[in-house]
Amino acid sequence: MSDLETKPTLKECGGREDVSAEPALELTPGREVSIGDDRPVRRMLPTLGRRMVGPWCFLDHYGPDDIADGPGAQVAPHPHMGLQTVSWLREGEMLHRDSEGHTATILPGHLGLMTSGRGISHSEESPVPHARFLHGVQLWVALPDGARNGDPHFELHTELPRFEAPGVSGTVIMGEIDGARSPGQAYSPITGADLTLADGVDVRLPLERDFEYAVVATEPGAVVDGVPVPIGSLLYLGCGRRDVHIRTEAASNLILVGGEPFAEKIVMWWNFVGRTSEEIAEARTQWQAEERFGVVHGYHAPRLDAPELPPTPLKPRGRVR
């Protein structure tokens, strides 16, 4: 989904100076924001406490929302550059259309992966008819310099690798975990997984020592390294871990994200990831002039206008604040 804040701020993220070289346990509350159809979502990245985890630079959790008597999600055409969008549903369905001509219905357990490269636009909506509940996460991955100006494309993967542990059923969304590798195209060392946890779990999940990690809960009940993880918060785990201890006080679900700390400094604003504020301003101008990002056909409403850029100059802020 899009970042549809009406007054988004410029954010400079990335670089490795603020990466914890040791294991950490930092619980950071997210913040509630509204997307295009005024549905509230919980934003865990970026927040005041942390802006990136590996190459992951954006994470929203939404739902479960009862949309039986309404239109559900309705996000009009909008642009992206310099990133990948990762759509992951736990309930419901989402109809994707993009300016490269792709139309796809994303279902629970499917990976919808859009690589914007130099520029793409897309829309997202609940199809008609649609399921009663909508529940999922939307994530972005910052593209490294060598890939960020490439050709845009879209992937839909309906079968993803799984791994099992006592009381744990895991699906690899991006990258690799315990020998299971996602088919999604990745441009940086990365990992992302959905962990469905039974009641009474007590298990250690293997991790890569050189990666940094975080978890978010889409259902309550999980305790990670002794820290309960409530819905609406991100628990940052740092680097240098061979594994992580997970136990549950009730059946629950966690999303695990991680990867090699992203070395490049990036600038994020609205739906753009660049390297300078000048790049961001140019992309905004091109979107408003209907250049560069193509046209999405088939959506029932006009495309979104870009917000106004903030008047203040960009101030370097790093990965954390």
Side-chain angles (χ1 to χ4, degrees):
M1 292 186 182
S2 171
D3 179 358
L4 297 180
E5 291 189 71
T6 58
K7 295 182 179 180
T9 57
L10 282 164
K11 307 173 186 71
E12 185 166 305
C13 326
R16 293 178 175 170
E17 63 268 23
D18 293 314
V19 175
S20 174
E22 303 294 331
L25 285 172
E26 300 173 4
L27 188 66
T28 303
R31 59 192 177 95
E32 187 172 290
V33 301
S34 293
I35 59 174
D37 47 13
D38 293 326
R39 287 183 301 112
V41 303
R42 306 167 192 93
R43 181 151 299 162
M44 268 73 85
L45 283 178
T47 67
L48 293 179
R50 183 154 302 276
R51 288 191 169 87
M52 294 186 77
V53 177
W56 302 97
C57 60
F58 182 94
L59 195 162
D60 275 356
H61 172 225
Y62 55 91
D65 295 323
D66 189 338
I67 60 172
D69 298 325
Q74 298 293 327
V75 184
H78 57 278
H80 288 287
M81 76 168 191
L83 58 88
Q84 292 177 290
T85 63
V86 177
S87 299
W88 183 253
L89 287 172
R90 294 196 52 76
E91 293 181 88
E93 58 254 300
M94 192 73 73
L95 178 61
H96 162 98
R97 293 185 175 94
D98 66 45
S99 55
E100 292 294 300
H102 302 105
T103 301
T105 300
I106 303 169
L107 300 175
H110 293 182
L111 169 61
L113 178 62
M114 186 179 74
T115 301
S116 69
R118 62 181 174 270
I120 195 171
S121 56
H122 74 141
S123 64
E124 298 156 290
E125 62 185 298
S126 296
V128 180
H130 54 70
R132 177 176 178 177
F133 291 103
L134 183 63
H135 184 199
V137 291
Q138 181 70 44
L139 308 103
W140 296 355
V141 179
L143 288 171
D145 197 58
R148 69 190 184 98
N149 291 311
D151 293 337
H153 61 274
F154 176 79
E155 305 169 40
L156 178 65
H157 299 286
T158 60
E159 295 185 7
L160 296 175
R162 302 183 63 80
F163 59 94
E164 304 289 334
V168 180
S169 179
T171 302
V172 182
I173 301 171
M174 292 289 288
E176 181 177 350
I177 292 184
D178 201 22
R181 176 169 288 276
S182 168
Q185 176 66 56
Y187 296 88
S188 300
I190 192 173
T191 192
D194 179 288
L195 307 176
T196 298
L197 308 166
D199 186 13
V201 162
D202 193 324
V203 69
R204 288 191 173 273
L205 185 71
L207 301 178
E208 295 285 340
R209 284 180 60 88
D210 293 337
F211 283 14
E212 62 175 342
Y213 290 93
V215 294
V216 300
T218 67
E219 298 171 2
V223 180
V224 179
D225 268 9
V227 179
V229 185
I231 290 177
S233 295
L234 178 142
L235 180 63
Y236 178 66
L237 302 175
C239 294
R241 292 176 174 269
R242 294 190 182 277
D243 57 29
V244 64
H245 179 221
I246 301 173
R247 65 179 179 86
T248 58
E249 298 172 342
S252 61
N253 176 265
L254 292 174
I255 302 295
L256 173 75
V257 294
E260 186 176 292
F262 200 71
E264 300 172 38
K265 290 282 190 179
I266 66 171
V267 178
M268 289 179 58
W269 178 81
W270 196 41
N271 299 302
F272 303 139
V273 171
R275 297 299 182 272
T276 67
S277 54
E278 290 77 15
E279 281 184 48
I280 299 294
E282 180 184 25
R284 182 194 181 279
T285 297
Q286 290 171 321
W287 171 250
Q288 292 299 95
E290 302 188 15
E291 300 172 351
R292 179 178 178 175
F293 296 96
V295 177
V296 178
H297 296 286
Y299 191 76
H300 56 81
R303 68 184 211 146
L304 296 176
D305 279 330
E308 293 295 328
L309 281 164
T312 55
L314 172 66
K315 295 181 180 180
R317 300 184 187 275
R319 301 171 60 86
V320 299
R321 177 166 62 177

